Amino acid sequence: MTAIQIRLWTVEEYHQMIDAGILTPNEKVELLEGQIVQMSPQKPPHAATTQKASDCIKTSFVDKAHVRTQLPITLSSSEPEPDIAVVRLDAGEYGDRHPSPEDIFLLIEVAYTTLAFDRFEKAPIYARANISEYWILDVVNRQVFVFRHPGEDGYGSEIVFDDEATLISIAFPEVKIAVSDLFLPKS
């Protein structure tokens, strides 16, 4: 019996497919560990929470970092598009490249229907890339999963905060963010 092998793509090959028009913006895909993966469509709670959280994060990190919303970052074998990326200030505004791990202070994914994927698929990718801090906003339960201490086997620490808590980023300990400010008002 012949084993089936999956053809993995490099970031460079992924970019070539975009340049050649093989992959278009309408595709809604991202590169994860060499595989081109279809991104989940956004339902209103996901989109609205992403906007609310992004506005809060931008206000919290003004003049400290760039806050990018649903834009690519480049890792060794991945080019995901996290919902929010807090990255190092860059005079070139990342006009010639996407942020890479050494530029990234914090990544945030908003999970409405994708909590398991964001926890068990994306978290290990971000940990192996040495992203020091990764948050998942669980829209349904109004909780934030905070991952820290990255390593080859994943994050060494995972703590869940409810919407009464306050978060402090590792990179900017002076910045305090109320979990409730990241979510839409309770109905």
Side-chain angles (χ1 to χ4, degrees):
M1 177 179 238
T2 304
I4 296 174
Q5 293 191 6
I6 296 173
R7 163 64 155 92
L8 300 179
W9 304 97
T10 67
V11 172
E12 183 179 334
E13 291 168 329
Y14 181 68
H15 287 179
Q16 289 171 350
M17 285 187 271
I18 294 168
D19 293 343
I22 296 167
L23 296 174
T24 68
N26 296 336
E27 302 280 349
K28 303 286 185 202
V29 296
E30 58 188 348
L31 183 69
L32 298 178
E33 301 221 309
Q35 296 185 48
I36 298 171
V37 178
Q38 188 131 27
M39 295 169 64
S40 180
Q42 291 187 34
K43 291 190 171 187
H46 179 279
T49 302
T50 300
Q51 185 65 54
K52 174 87 164 97
S54 177
D55 290 347
C56 174
I57 297 294
K58 283 179 183 176
T59 300
S60 299
F61 290 95
V62 69
D63 296 329
K64 296 178 186 325
H66 285 300
V67 177
R68 295 167 53 98
T69 305
Q70 297 177 332
L71 295 172
I73 60 171
T74 300
L75 311 177
S76 64
S77 62
S78 300
E79 195 162 277
E81 297 183 16
D83 289 311
I84 301 167
V86 179
V87 301
R88 187 173 316 284
L89 293 170
D90 178 37
E93 303 282 333
Y94 297 99
D96 60 345
R97 65 184 178 86
H98 298 310
S100 57
E102 52 276 355
D103 300 312
I104 299 168
F105 297 117
L106 167 65
L107 293 181
I108 302 172
E109 294 285 2
V110 175
Y112 181 62
T113 60
T114 60
L115 182 59
F117 185 77
D118 293 336
R119 282 183 73 198
F120 303 115
E121 300 295 327
K122 283 198 171 176
I125 292 169
Y126 294 153
R128 283 190 292 278
N130 203 32
I131 304 300
S132 62
E133 190 165 18
Y134 170 50
W135 299 355
I136 302 171
L137 308 185
D138 175 359
V139 175
V140 174
N141 297 303
R142 297 178 62 86
Q143 298 176 322
V144 178
F145 290 73
V146 174
F147 297 85
R148 294 180 174 155
H149 311 294
E152 281 301 310
D153 296 327
Y155 283 97
S157 167
E158 176 185 341
I159 302 171
V160 182
F161 294 91
D162 66 18
D163 72 350
E164 302 295 319
T166 299
L167 301 173
I168 298 172
S169 170
I170 291 173
F172 301 99
E174 71 279 10
V175 175
K176 295 174 177 39
I177 299 169
V179 169
S180 59
D181 289 345
L182 299 171
F183 294 99
L184 298 173
K186 290 181 183 178
S187 50

